[in-house]
Amino acid sequence: MKKIRIITLVIFIAVFALVLATNMIHWDETPLEQSIAALPLGLGFLLELPFLILGAVLTGNGSGDGLFSYDWQPVTIQAMPLVAGAFYSGLFYLVATRIVKRTSQKV
């Protein structure tokens, strides 16, 4: 069970770092975007995208431009890394603990 908690913490830190890097590094046609170094930034954006869409739908701004407007910038930089990290690590923790409970009951 201790290994599951350590893996959960590692997942939280990895997702948090990827999403935070995606939000902090500006995408403005730099050589970074055209290199392999942009792969983690794209991955962070993909991890964050469901929560951006959900936030746009909940606030009533369902347009595509609303996801990237300047109104969202403080929320995306500050809250989205925490939300995404907590969601993905929590999802892993729930699945892993259920699997451990089911396998321990069968033995």
Side-chain angles (χ1 to χ4, degrees):
M1 201 63 170
K2 186 176 181 181
K3 290 180 184 177
I4 292 174
R5 290 187 182 137
I6 292 170
I7 293 171
T8 302
L9 182 64
V10 168
I11 289 173
F12 176 79
I13 291 171
V15 170
F16 180 82
L18 286 172
V19 173
L20 188 64
T22 301
N23 291 338
M24 297 299 272
I25 296 174
H26 299 289
W27 292 71
D28 56 354
E29 295 299 326
T30 62
L32 172 69
E33 294 174 17
Q34 301 164 8
S35 69
I36 194 70
L39 188 61
L41 299 178
L43 182 61
F45 180 70
L46 288 176
L47 291 171
E48 176 187 31
L49 192 58
F51 304 105
L52 290 174
I53 293 170
L54 182 65
V57 169
L58 290 176
T59 58
N61 189 3
S63 67
D65 295 335
L67 295 175
F68 308 105
S69 68
Y70 289 109
D71 299 339
W72 275 89
Q73 197 161 9
V75 174
T76 13
I77 290 174
Q78 295 170 3
M80 288 301 168
L82 291 172
V83 169
F87 175 77
Y88 291 113
S89 62
L91 184 66
F92 168 78
Y93 186 76
L94 283 173
V95 169
T97 53
R98 292 216 177 185
I99 290 172
V100 167
K101 284 181 184 178
R102 283 186 183 169
T103 55
S104 64
Q105 289 175 355
K106 289 181 181 179
V107 172

